[in-house]
Amino acid sequence: MTDTQPTTRPRPDARTQPTERTCPFSPPEGYRTLREEAPITPVTFPDGTDGWLVSRHADVRTVLADPRFGANRRPARADAFAPAGTPVPPPPPGMFIMMDGPEHTRIRRLLTGQFTVRRMRQLAPAVERIVAEHLDAMASAEQPVDLLRDFALPVPSLVICELLGVPYADRADFQRNSSNMLRLDASQEEVQQAHLAMNQHIHELVQAKRARPTDDILSGLVQDGRLSDEEMAGVGALLLLAGHETTANMIALGTMCLLHHPDQLAALRADASLWDNAVEELLRYLTIIQFGLRRVVREDLELDGHRIEAGTTVLASLTSGNRDAGQFTGDPDQLDVQRPYSPHLAFGHGAHQCIGQQLARVEMKAALSALFDRFPSLRLAVPAKDVPMRDDMLIYGVHALPVTW
């Protein structure tokens, strides 16, 4: 079938998607009301389109695991509204997060072996070395320092560059393009230009590695030979973007969050074995994919008694699902690094679950544990209310984090 925009809108009682935060570490309060009163509800999204919003943990998992809910291929931007019946464009080559079925499986399977738990654990010493080098540089820098610029961003950027085989010297270009692709106020033209620039850069690297392969993911894909150059460029651009933006913001926001919860930080200092659990709790509690994951209904269906037409957009709210009291013990609106583990949704769920999640865990644990060990008196250099938050980005976090010690 050909995917199209829905020819009809949901019921006229559509609600508005919650977007206003009252706490920098918590999702908008409106999600609590939705979970209690209308966990599956028609909504009008901020970009002006209509669809359905799913806010409970169990329902989010259902949507993300059910193949009848296809990957979204429409940008979630204010100027991206398409009239009813407009055909959905095909996904760009290699952009497997926008694909379903055999094509998604074909590409993802080639990458699975690159991000196994075992390989990421083997990578831990290299990550710890990179972390230590940047902490040394921080220690000798004039205070205050911007933790995002000087630590949280360069650590995962350097790691993903080494894994992919991208020169770290090119980071300014790909970080600028990544930012433009994730800005909520970016025009569709700006997003496309940034996407093309990143793809062109990776495409040139692919050509270079064809002549001189090295020990990295892009070289491995070139030597494997089952992806076209265009597909390898798309895969590389996607991994480069996802591999530094998400982890960098989790490190910075996680630091700010722990500073705001000194009792939880004290528990970690008293028992370093809690760090693995703390990483999972921070991922759950902060959930930086702040507007959720969009899916497109591939055929008419019912979801918990609600009839949803083919072509309709369904938004699975990860941040709301991760605050669901029906899933997590204790009060899920409280940060608790000793909370018993329960599967969270920070990395999504189902066939499209984040392929780099084990790398993110390794980087977060190495970065946060070493940071607070090296600087026991670390503190914000400005009032918390003055920290610029990334409300204007698809990936939540901070634009800067001034700290001192």
Side-chain angles (χ1 to χ4, degrees):
M1 60 175 267
T2 300
D3 293 335
T4 62
Q5 281 286 97
T7 56
T8 60
R9 292 177 179 270
R11 299 194 308 262
D13 58 342
R15 303 188 182 212
T16 301
Q17 181 187 351
T19 57
E20 295 297 323
R21 294 176 183 257
T22 57
C23 169
F25 310 120
S26 296
E29 279 293 315
Y31 281 115
R32 184 198 305 271
T33 302
L34 287 176
R35 286 195 303 273
E36 295 172 354
E37 298 179 358
I40 301 173
T41 186
V43 294
T44 299
F45 298 119
D47 64 5
T49 61
D50 288 333
W52 291 78
L53 177 63
V54 178
S55 55
R56 283 190 308 205
H57 187 279
D59 296 324
V60 170
R61 283 173 62 94
T62 295
V63 168
L64 297 181
D66 191 331
R68 295 178 300 170
F69 295 87
N72 177 62
R73 299 205 294 270
R74 289 199 184 281
R77 306 195 180 275
D79 64 348
F81 178 75
T86 303
V88 177
M95 197 63 59
F96 61 97
I97 64 168
M98 302 171 73
M99 299 175 182
D100 294 305
E103 279 300 285
H104 170 263
T105 303
R106 177 179 68 90
I107 296 176
R108 185 179 174 106
R109 186 173 291 156
L110 295 176
L111 297 170
T112 301
Q114 306 286 348
F115 292 95
T116 62
V117 174
R118 180 180 179 184
R119 182 171 182 181
M120 293 305 103
R121 287 176 177 167
Q122 291 174 339
L123 189 65
V127 174
E128 291 166 359
R129 171 182 54 79
I130 292 170
V131 166
E133 291 171 353
H134 285 81
L135 291 177
D136 287 344
M138 274 181 57
S140 62
E142 182 179 351
Q143 299 180 49
V145 302
D146 179 356
L147 188 82
L148 178 69
R149 181 195 63 205
D150 296 335
F151 182 67
L153 186 55
V155 166
S157 294
L158 186 53
V159 171
I160 196 63
C161 281
E162 289 191 1
L163 272 176
L164 286 174
V166 175
Y168 185 59
D170 298 339
R171 66 190 181 279
D173 288 336
F174 73 71
Q175 286 170 0
R176 181 179 62 254
N177 288 324
S178 296
S179 179
N180 285 336
M181 291 169 69
L182 296 172
R183 279 172 38 217
L184 292 175
D185 62 349
S187 68
Q188 192 58 31
E189 182 180 1
E190 288 174 317
V191 173
Q192 289 175 342
Q193 287 177 346
H195 182 261
L196 288 172
M198 186 173 284
N199 268 41
Q200 179 61 33
H201 178 59
I202 302 296
H203 192 276
E204 292 171 358
L205 283 175
V206 167
Q207 297 299 318
K209 290 177 186 302
R210 193 175 297 284
R212 290 187 176 183
T214 53
D215 184 21
D216 56 68
I217 291 177
L218 284 179
S219 294
L221 292 175
V222 168
Q223 292 173 312
D224 180 271
R226 283 181 283 180
L227 294 180
S228 68
D229 285 6
E230 290 73 19
E231 287 175 324
M232 283 186 282
V235 167
L238 175 60
L239 294 178
L240 186 60
L241 184 154
H244 79 277
E245 278 282 351
T246 50
T247 308
N249 281 286
M250 273 305 308
I251 293 171
L253 189 61
T255 299
M256 182 181 175
C257 184
L258 287 172
L259 290 175
H260 187 74
H261 294 85
D263 59 325
Q264 300 301 301
L265 186 53
L268 289 167
R269 284 177 167 145
D271 183 0
S273 70
L274 289 174
W275 270 110
D276 284 322
N277 205 66
V279 166
E280 300 301 325
E281 175 68 350
L282 287 168
L283 287 163
R284 179 201 70 83
Y285 185 71
L286 298 173
T287 314
I288 58 175
I289 309 297
Q290 63 171 335
F291 298 118
L293 297 177
R294 288 194 176 201
R295 295 291 183 261
V296 177
V297 177
R298 298 168 63 86
E299 60 185 71
D300 292 353
L301 55 80
E302 281 198 6
L303 181 62
D304 197 22
H306 299 277
R307 182 163 180 78
I308 305 178
E309 296 180 1
T312 302
T313 295
V314 174
L315 182 71
S317 176
L318 307 183
T319 184
S320 176
N322 277 342
R323 296 299 184 96
D324 189 342
Q327 174 68 22
F328 302 99
T329 60
D331 182 356
D333 286 323
Q334 297 297 317
L335 180 72
D336 181 2
V337 298
Q338 300 183 70
R339 186 189 308 278
Y341 175 75
S342 182
H344 57 70
L345 299 163
F347 294 114
H349 180 64
H352 288 276
Q353 191 172 41
C354 175
I355 198 169
Q357 59 181 286
Q358 300 303 337
L359 175 60
R361 289 181 168 103
V362 167
E363 291 175 319
M364 284 181 62
K365 179 183 178 181
L368 291 171
S369 60
L371 172 68
F372 285 107
D373 184 58
R374 181 68 176 271
F375 302 110
S377 60
L378 188 76
R379 62 190 183 277
L380 294 182
V382 298
K385 65 180 179 60
D386 293 335
V387 174
M389 308 305 297
R390 284 169 55 109
D391 300 289
D392 57 338
M393 308 291 283
L394 292 173
I395 305 297
Y396 187 64
V398 298
H399 284 295
L401 190 67
V403 296
T404 189
W405 51 89

